[in-house]
Amino acid sequence: MKVNQAEKTIDMTVSGTFTPEKAQEFIKEYQQTLSAIKPEEFVLQFDCRDLSVVSQDLAPNLENVMRMYKASGFKKVLVGIQKKPIIKMQLNRLARSAGLDNFEVAEIY
């Protein structure tokens, strides 16, 4: 997780499979990072080119994380993925369920 003050972005890379252990580790780092910025001035950007499909049992955890992004009040949440329609569909559905209306999935290479 890197804060880019000049660009007003928080840049993260997410890869592999979403696990409860990774989620706990991420939340701790996320809270520390947020305490040093004003989220409403920043775009939260994820590079998810290597993200695997989210399993049904872990989808609620990811939806809760998206609720956390909404509550943080970011200007925008941008997720970059490879052309993977299933992952794009999953992420958009989870964001809608979480009420995260400033969410966008973009295909990056």
Side-chain angles (χ1 to χ4, degrees):
M1 195 173 305
K2 295 179 184 166
V3 176
N4 183 331
Q5 288 287 351
E7 299 278 329
K8 294 287 188 189
T9 62
I10 296 178
D11 303 309
M12 292 186 259
T13 301
V14 179
S15 61
T17 304
F18 186 75
T19 65
E21 295 79 22
K22 284 184 183 178
Q24 291 299 334
E25 205 174 285
F26 167 76
I27 289 170
K28 184 178 177 183
E29 184 180 355
Y30 177 84
Q31 290 170 337
Q32 288 174 339
T33 301
L34 244 60
S35 68
I37 65 161
K38 292 181 181 178
E40 63 276 4
E41 297 177 359
F42 282 77
V43 173
L44 183 59
Q45 296 185 144
F46 293 91
D47 179 343
C48 294
R49 286 179 281 193
D50 296 324
L51 183 66
S52 300
V53 172
V54 178
S55 65
Q56 290 292 45
D57 58 327
L58 292 175
N61 292 337
L62 186 53
E63 186 176 329
N64 286 334
V65 169
M66 290 193 178
R67 282 192 180 97
M68 184 175 66
Y69 301 152
K70 178 180 173 61
S72 297
F74 285 100
K75 183 187 283 187
K76 185 175 194 173
V77 178
L78 179 62
V79 177
I81 62 169
Q82 287 186 15
K83 189 172 182 174
K84 295 180 181 178
I86 291 174
I87 292 176
K88 184 175 184 176
M89 188 173 56
Q90 276 188 322
L91 292 172
N92 280 322
R93 181 178 45 80
L94 291 168
R96 275 192 311 275
S97 294
L100 188 59
D101 55 358
N102 61 341
F103 181 83
E104 181 182 333
V105 177
E107 292 178 0
I108 57 175
Y109 304 96

